[in-house]
Amino acid sequence: ARTQSVTETARLMRVSQPAVSQTLKELEAQLGFALFVRSNGRTRLTIEANNVLPDVERLFAQMATLRGKAEELKDMRAGALSIASVPSFTARILPTALGAFRAERSQVRLRLEVYTASDVVRQIRQEYCDIGFAFMPLDEAGVAVQPLLRMSMVCLVPVGHPLASKSIITAGDLENETIIVHGAQTTPGFVLRESLRTEVESFQILTTNQSVASLHMVQCGMGIAFAHPLVLPFDPLGQVVAVPYERDVPLTFAMLYSRNRPVSRLVLQFEAILRKSITAFCHELKGKGLTCEVLV
């Protein structure tokens, strides 16, 4: 259509002239009408061919777009990644990893939604999100678990409080204090009660279902909280001091994904970047004398 010449078309496409003529014959046979008429050495489009030419050009454009998208997906430059997370993971580690991932894969569509731990599990089980983040243990048959890091719960103490200068806090130190803990229905709350059953029963207790809320309560001087170190980045002004407790209360944080579908290359790429963010955070905690271990 552009050259109006079989010979010139063959030259531009770097094929033989008979090959072009044969392809045209086969296409005309498939369509059921002539595409070209030949006169005075020129090849001109028929009326029917002119009518279908815009559709053909559209198909070529769509094929070019499809090829480009396939290349992007192959190189993980495009695609989509949806994440469900508990609130405490969104303070430092996850945003840092997402920023680094976005810098390398700017065409990837990202979606981050924040839920309670039980809702994170539900999002993964029902495959509304690709990956999720929550504390272990989890008991859900359709959800696979990849442990990421292990840390110990700490005592969050207001700056200026007499216990803020201690290197370790004991049960005796907390006898006359108001203690803020996770409710038993949460994973950190369950683990805390399993580890410190006797102590917890003797404390003056305030409960909450969110670790970030316990941090804010400490900032307001309402008491001393048992919480995990993931919440510390929510205290940028340094109003709270994290002090280890005399007995170890270990918590394991994990990435969740559905057992019913394969893990995508995009998720694997993100996990590699996330590992660096986790390592940096654990190094920071160890510098403060807190326990943290990378598990990936």
Side-chain angles (χ1 to χ4, degrees):
R2 292 175 183 171
T3 66
Q4 297 189 17
S5 166
V6 172
T7 302
E8 182 64 11
T9 297
R11 186 185 68 81
L12 291 175
M13 296 187 68
R14 298 182 180 180
V15 297
S16 67
Q17 181 175 330
V20 173
S21 298
Q22 182 61 34
T23 300
L24 290 176
K25 289 180 181 179
E26 292 175 357
L27 184 56
E28 287 176 334
Q30 291 174 5
L31 294 174
F33 54 79
L35 293 172
F36 298 93
V37 292
R38 297 163 182 80
S39 62
N40 299 324
R42 306 301 295 176
T43 304
R44 303 183 185 280
L45 289 173
T46 63
I47 295 175
E48 292 82 2
N50 271 306
N51 285 335
V52 300
L53 184 59
D55 295 315
V56 173
E57 290 177 334
R58 249 192 317 272
L59 285 173
F60 276 126
Q62 290 170 350
M63 284 299 298
T65 300
L66 179 59
R67 281 195 296 269
K69 183 171 291 187
E71 288 298 317
E72 288 180 345
L73 289 170
K74 184 174 69 175
D75 295 336
M76 293 178 289
R77 291 195 303 266
L81 180 63
S82 55
I83 300 171
S85 175
V86 293
S88 54
F89 200 51
T90 65
R92 172 77 60 77
I93 298 177
L94 187 53
T96 300
L98 287 173
F101 182 73
R102 180 73 171 172
E104 293 186 10
R105 302 285 182 260
S106 61
Q107 300 303 312
V108 174
R109 299 187 305 277
L110 295 175
R111 176 167 60 90
L112 170 61
E113 298 187 353
V114 180
Y115 299 97
T116 62
S118 59
D119 284 337
V120 169
V121 173
R122 180 174 58 83
Q123 291 289 315
I124 300 304
R125 183 183 67 244
Q126 298 180 353
E127 299 185 12
Y128 292 148
C129 290
D130 299 310
I131 51 175
F133 298 99
F135 283 101
M136 296 174 60
L138 298 167
D139 185 17
E140 182 60 52
V143 176
V145 178
Q146 168 63 60
L148 297 177
L149 71 158
R150 184 179 295 115
M151 67 201 89
S152 294
M153 295 189 77
V154 296
C155 294
L156 301 182
V157 185
V159 167
H161 190 284
L163 296 180
S165 59
K166 292 181 69 71
S167 58
I168 293 179
I169 289 178
T170 67
D173 294 327
L174 301 176
E175 284 183 358
N176 298 316
E177 302 290 342
T178 299
I179 307 303
I180 304 163
V181 299
H182 290 70
Q185 76 279 9
T186 68
T187 300
F190 171 78
V191 172
L192 180 68
R193 284 163 175 79
E194 287 293 302
S195 300
L196 307 178
R197 187 179 301 276
T198 303
E199 290 97 321
V200 171
E201 290 175 354
S202 65
F203 292 150
Q204 302 176 47
I205 296 291
L206 294 177
T207 62
T208 178
N209 69 334
Q210 288 291 341
S211 54
V212 177
S214 68
L215 172 71
H216 294 328
M217 294 166 78
V218 174
Q219 289 171 332
C220 293
M222 293 181 64
I224 294 173
F226 275 103
H228 53 77
L230 287 180
V231 300
L232 293 178
F234 284 102
D235 182 45
L237 300 181
Q239 298 173 275
V240 170
V241 178
V243 183
Y245 187 63
E246 63 176 338
R247 290 179 59 187
D248 186 40
V249 183
L251 280 175
T252 300
F253 196 74
M255 183 174 76
L256 321 178
Y257 54 93
S258 173
R259 291 187 184 276
N260 300 321
R261 64 180 182 182
V263 179
S264 70
R265 295 174 65 204
L266 209 57
V267 168
L268 295 176
Q269 173 69 21
F270 177 71
E271 183 183 355
I273 292 176
L274 180 66
R275 188 180 303 119
K276 298 178 182 178
S277 185
I278 290 172
T279 301
F281 183 75
C282 277
H283 181 74
E284 180 182 332
L285 290 185
K286 290 178 180 178
K288 297 178 180 179
L290 304 178
T291 301
C292 187
E293 180 185 0
V294 179
L295 301 178
V296 289

